[in-house]
Amino acid sequence: MKVLPLFSLITLCFLTLHSCAEKEEQKPLKPNFLFIMSDDHAYQAISAYSDHLIQTPNIDRLAKEGMLFRNASVTNSICAPSRATILTGKHTHINGKIDNHNPFDTTQVTFPQIFQKAGYQTAMFGKLHFGNNPKGVDDFMILPGQGHYINPDFITQKGDTTITGYVTDIITDMSLEWLDKKRDPNKPFFLMYLHKAPHRPWWPRADKFKEYTQKTFPLPETLFDDYSNRGTAAKTAEMNLLYHMQYSHDSKIWPETLEAMGDVEPFVEGSQADVNNEFNRGNEEQKSQYKPIIDGINQEFKEKWPTMTDEEKMIWKYQRYMQDYLGSISSVDDNVGRVLDYLDENGLAENTIVVYTSDQGFYLGEHGWFDKRFIYDESFKTPLLIRWPNEIKPGTTEEEMVQNLDFAQTFLEAAQITAPEDMQGESLMPLLKGKSDQWNREAVYYHYYEYPSVHMVKRHYGIVTKEYKLAHFYYDVDEWELYDRKKDPKELNNVYDDPEYAEIVKELKEKLVQLRVKYKDSKELDDKYIEQSKKY
């Protein structure tokens, strides 16, 4: 047996202890985050969910290389409130941003502030929608309000500026420039890459506009829904393609065309909103690319519209809508590809969590509608795809009920940062790690407030499980609706008064009361926000 000299033994012990201490001090490498959010991007318009309308190969990469959620939803299907919920991890009745008019409670802590305090480098480029000085962000360039597609204005830390080009490309350019030139490689980063597209009025880039106006799209099965066996809310909402989609603002009919044609039927209230509002932002070169295509649309409208039936007019408006909406999304997908390629080429992909989502869903002609707001699936559900190499099993599909309420806590846990106790969501980490047995949520809560207002969707709140959806419409009505999500996935048959569902109604009402208590919502808050909304 060989005996080591005393000096060597002491040295060996010292080195061993030092090595062990180093290992104890080393913490897991914190992940980077790329949070991509589009505005009004329906899950039906992502080919990973359904390929009947458009191919989105770059967004689909996140499903192939990560996880696709089929039951992701929002707490309030409208732009600014959804964004406030994402930032705070709290329902809109808590953060104050119940609609696009009532103010956000600026005393609320947002998750970028927490990331920044924890040593992350943070940046935001694109559409925030409310406020002009995002908290917890080291660098930003954001669109004022809704922003513009052509030669958009931006709010920056150095003052307002206008940038020539197409908004989706510009937001991507900004994000890539930050990653390439402004990012501190010694810090983990959280980049919020936020698209305006495909928000109304839909303006594809000129080359996409030319391409997509030549396309024809399949009609949704419920395009001519008559809302029978639905409540007052569905019957009175002002979101119908034929009667509420504007000729000039939406379908790009020149005002002079409408004037020359006289009384265009059906009359659309507000149809005086003008295609020129966006077109005239273009320079002469940009206008020369758009004008021949718009002229062609107008020529077809003049020739065909007067002799069309209402059904043919509805279909014409639907096709025009899809051409512009999907053309706008095509640019989003192209640009997502640019950013994903950058991560690959610069060795950042392996340690970057990439999230793709929308601020809510959107109607693409289902029930004859455009826009969102309802608790019905097309607006309630939202796309959610997450890629996290070496952590999420590629090609995974998740069916559990998750919400945008959960994003903040998920990001914080992934970054090994303790979330504030007053956040109301649940971290998705068990699902991302394949431990669905640790996920125990059975139902989610929804509450929509913006009424009376544009589109006239009545106030309502409700509970949604995988099997059922129960909603209470209130304020100027007192109506309940129940949908069997398994038997009636298109939500055409309100079974609230069906005796066969009496026990289900009773059980869901009890659970809805419990959810309202859990999330600190109440009749008193309903009344408070009704009165408060009268000021705006």
Side-chain angles (χ1 to χ4, degrees):
M1 178 177 174
K2 185 176 180 181
V3 180
L4 289 172
L6 180 61
F7 176 79
S8 298
L9 189 60
I10 292 171
T11 302
L12 178 61
C13 290
F14 174 78
L15 291 173
T16 302
L17 288 169
H18 183 68
S19 176
C20 291
E22 275 191 336
K23 287 180 181 179
E24 286 178 5
E25 290 172 5
Q26 284 180 346
K27 293 182 179 179
L29 192 63
K30 293 208 170 192
N32 304 308
F33 293 82
L34 172 63
F35 180 70
I36 312 171
M37 183 165 68
S38 297
D39 195 307
D40 294 342
H41 190 172
Y43 63 89
Q44 313 94 285
I46 294 176
S47 48
Y49 285 93
S50 174
D51 62 0
H52 74 292
L53 288 174
I54 189 173
Q55 294 294 323
T56 52
N58 296 296
I59 297 171
D60 290 358
R61 271 188 64 186
L62 300 177
K64 292 174 184 174
E65 299 169 3
M67 181 176 288
L68 179 144
F69 289 81
R70 291 200 173 274
N71 265 317
S73 65
V74 295
T75 64
N76 183 353
S77 184
I78 189 167
C79 298
S82 175
R83 293 159 190 269
T85 290
I86 289 170
L87 287 170
T88 62
K90 299 175 186 176
H91 278 274
T92 51
H93 61 270
I94 300 295
N95 65 47
K97 196 63 183 163
I98 59 163
D99 56 29
N100 282 339
H101 309 293
N102 280 261
F104 175 66
D105 177 3
T106 55
T107 66
Q108 295 287 326
V109 174
T110 64
F111 78 77
Q113 290 175 277
I114 302 171
F115 270 87
Q116 188 182 54
K117 188 176 180 180
Y120 268 76
Q121 190 176 14
T122 57
M124 177 185 292
F125 301 103
K127 181 176 178 181
L128 174 60
H129 193 139
F130 65 94
N132 59 9
N133 186 21
K135 296 190 294 183
V137 178
D138 298 322
D139 195 5
F140 67 86
M141 294 185 75
I142 58 174
L143 299 162
Q146 297 288 4
H148 289 280
Y149 282 97
I150 301 172
N151 302 338
D153 306 315
F154 284 90
I155 299 166
T156 80
Q157 291 165 311
K158 297 179 181 178
D160 296 357
T161 186
T162 301
I163 299 178
T164 301
Y166 184 67
V167 68
T168 306
D169 299 331
I170 292 169
I171 292 168
T172 306
D173 291 343
M174 291 173 175
S175 301
L176 289 174
E177 182 183 25
W178 185 86
L179 284 169
D180 198 47
K181 297 179 180 177
K182 299 181 180 180
R183 179 179 63 86
D184 182 347
N186 297 311
K187 286 185 176 182
F189 67 81
F190 197 112
L191 172 59
M192 302 186 76
Y193 167 47
L194 310 175
H195 285 295
K196 168 185 171 56
H199 193 277
R200 182 189 189 200
W202 311 280
W203 276 80
R205 198 176 60 200
D207 59 326
K208 301 284 188 181
F209 191 40
K210 183 176 181 180
E211 175 188 354
Y212 274 76
T213 49
Q214 303 304 308
K215 293 179 180 285
T216 301
F217 300 94
L219 305 181
E221 291 180 32
T222 59
L223 180 64
F224 298 102
D225 191 350
D226 63 3
Y227 317 117
S228 58
N229 201 29
R230 250 64 53 76
T232 304
K235 293 180 174 72
T236 58
E238 297 179 356
M239 309 194 310
N240 184 271
L241 293 173
L242 180 59
Y243 297 106
H244 304 114
M245 184 166 277
Q246 298 176 15
Y247 294 111
S248 186
H249 181 66
D250 297 316
S251 299
K252 297 181 176 56
I253 305 303
W254 298 119
E256 51 268 33
T257 298
L258 294 170
E259 185 177 351
M261 291 176 68
D263 294 329
V264 175
E265 296 292 339
F267 173 74
V268 176
E269 186 176 353
S271 59
Q272 69 275 11
D274 196 341
V275 62
N276 285 301
N277 291 346
E278 194 70 35
F279 177 77
N280 283 337
R281 293 187 63 83
N283 56 35
E284 290 308 308
E285 180 183 357
Q286 291 166 328
K287 288 181 180 179
S288 70
Q289 294 173 327
Y290 280 106
K291 190 174 185 301
I293 308 166
I294 300 175
D295 285 344
I297 293 166
N298 277 253
Q299 186 62 36
E300 180 188 47
F301 184 79
K302 282 191 293 186
E303 292 174 359
K304 295 183 177 180
W305 193 264
T307 60
M308 284 182 178
T309 65
D310 280 355
E311 182 175 305
E312 290 169 334
K313 290 176 179 179
M314 183 78 151
I315 293 171
W316 189 90
K317 274 194 164 183
Y318 168 77
Q319 295 296 346
R320 278 271 50 251
Y321 171 33
M322 287 299 94
Q323 289 164 359
D324 291 351
Y325 180 90
L326 297 171
S328 301
I329 286 173
S330 182
S331 284
V332 171
D333 187 67
D334 289 348
N335 279 280
V336 167
R338 290 176 61 199
V339 179
L340 294 181
D341 287 347
Y342 179 90
L343 296 181
D344 289 344
E345 293 161 5
N346 290 272
L348 292 170
E350 283 297 300
N351 194 40
T352 300
I353 298 173
V354 181
V355 179
Y356 187 90
T357 192
S358 173
D359 52 359
Q360 64 263 318
F362 214 68
Y363 292 98
L364 305 186
E366 300 90 356
H367 307 292
W369 288 334
F370 63 103
D371 208 70
K372 56 255 184 179
R373 301 166 195 267
F374 274 111
I375 196 172
Y376 308 140
D377 269 7
E378 290 84 2
S379 53
F380 166 74
K381 290 173 66 174
T382 192
L384 178 61
L385 306 93
I386 304 178
R387 185 183 75 180
W388 189 2
N390 304 315
E391 297 291 344
I392 294 176
K393 182 181 177 182
T396 305
T397 298
E398 181 53 70
E399 302 289 342
E400 293 295 337
M401 303 286 296
V402 305
Q403 287 193 294
N404 58 352
L405 183 71
D406 304 322
F407 292 177
Q409 280 153 285
T410 304
F411 301 156
L412 290 167
E413 184 175 349
Q416 305 142 47
I417 302 170
T418 302
E421 291 184 0
D422 62 348
M423 283 187 172
Q424 295 183 304
E426 297 179 32
S427 170
L428 304 180
M429 286 291 281
L431 300 178
L432 300 182
K433 299 277 191 175
K435 299 177 181 177
S436 56
D437 59 316
Q438 297 178 15
W439 184 261
N440 57 12
R441 177 187 282 160
E442 296 181 353
V444 296
Y445 181 63
Y446 180 88
H447 199 154
Y448 173 79
Y449 298 85
E450 192 171 296
Y451 176 87
S453 188
V454 61
H455 298 303
M456 296 301 283
V457 173
K458 294 187 183 298
R459 293 171 186 249
H460 59 290
Y461 58 84
I463 179 174
V464 184
T465 70
K466 290 180 183 178
E467 294 80 20
Y468 300 103
K469 182 178 295 183
L470 178 72
H472 180 216
F473 292 85
Y474 69 98
Y475 179 55
D476 58 350
V477 293
D478 181 9
E479 295 180 5
W480 290 84
E481 296 182 12
L482 174 70
Y483 295 94
D484 187 324
R485 302 185 75 200
K486 299 294 185 182
K487 294 181 179 179
D488 180 26
K490 291 185 171 57
E491 298 171 315
L492 298 173
N493 188 26
N494 173 21
V495 294
Y496 178 77
D497 292 320
D498 187 332
E500 290 187 12
Y501 288 87
E503 285 301 313
I504 297 296
V505 168
K506 181 181 177 182
E507 180 184 338
L508 288 175
K509 279 191 172 182
E510 290 173 355
K511 289 183 177 179
L512 179 56
V513 169
Q514 293 168 8
L515 280 183
R516 279 173 58 91
V517 171
K518 175 182 177 179
Y519 292 122
K520 302 179 181 179
D521 204 2
S522 65
K523 175 67 165 56
E524 290 72 25
L525 276 178
D526 297 347
D527 294 339
K528 170 192 169 182
Y529 284 124
I530 287 170
E531 290 304 311
Q532 186 169 307
S533 295
K534 293 176 182 177
K535 301 175 184 177
Y536 299 99

